[in-house]
Amino acid sequence: MLKVLLAKHRLAYLKLAFKHWTTPGHVYELAHGKQPHGQKDSDICHDLLDMKIVHRHHHSHDPNHYQMD
């Protein structure tokens, strides 16, 4: 939880956690490379993409391939 509180995007992680009924730590882990499992995780990853917190690898069209800013 300390990593979330010290993170640059902590408010976005809190907002997405509330929106998707999960923990900010789970959102943080997805934003930092944890593989998404299930529709909820995919929705969170797409929201992270929309918020420009993570980006897709340029060479991949697979929405599971993300990288941080």
Side-chain angles (χ1 to χ4, degrees):
M1 187 67 172
L2 184 61
K3 288 182 180 182
V4 175
L5 295 176
L6 298 176
K8 175 175 141 181
H9 300 290
R10 66 184 161 272
L11 294 177
Y13 300 151
L14 291 168
K15 178 182 174 183
L16 288 176
F18 182 75
K19 177 181 176 183
H20 293 283
W21 291 93
T22 189
T23 64
H26 184 71
V27 176
Y28 175 89
E29 289 174 356
L30 288 169
H32 286 86
K34 181 179 178 184
Q35 289 295 319
H37 297 286
Q39 187 61 44
K40 182 193 286 190
D41 285 359
S42 292
D43 292 344
I44 293 169
C45 288
H46 286 286
D47 284 347
L48 288 166
L49 275 170
D50 291 343
M51 297 171 90
K52 302 202 183 322
I53 294 173
V54 296
H55 304 278
R56 285 190 195 158
H57 291 288
H58 295 288
H59 65 277
S60 177
H61 296 287
D62 185 346
N64 294 321
H65 296 160
Y66 301 102
Q67 69 184 26
M68 283 297 296
D69 281 337

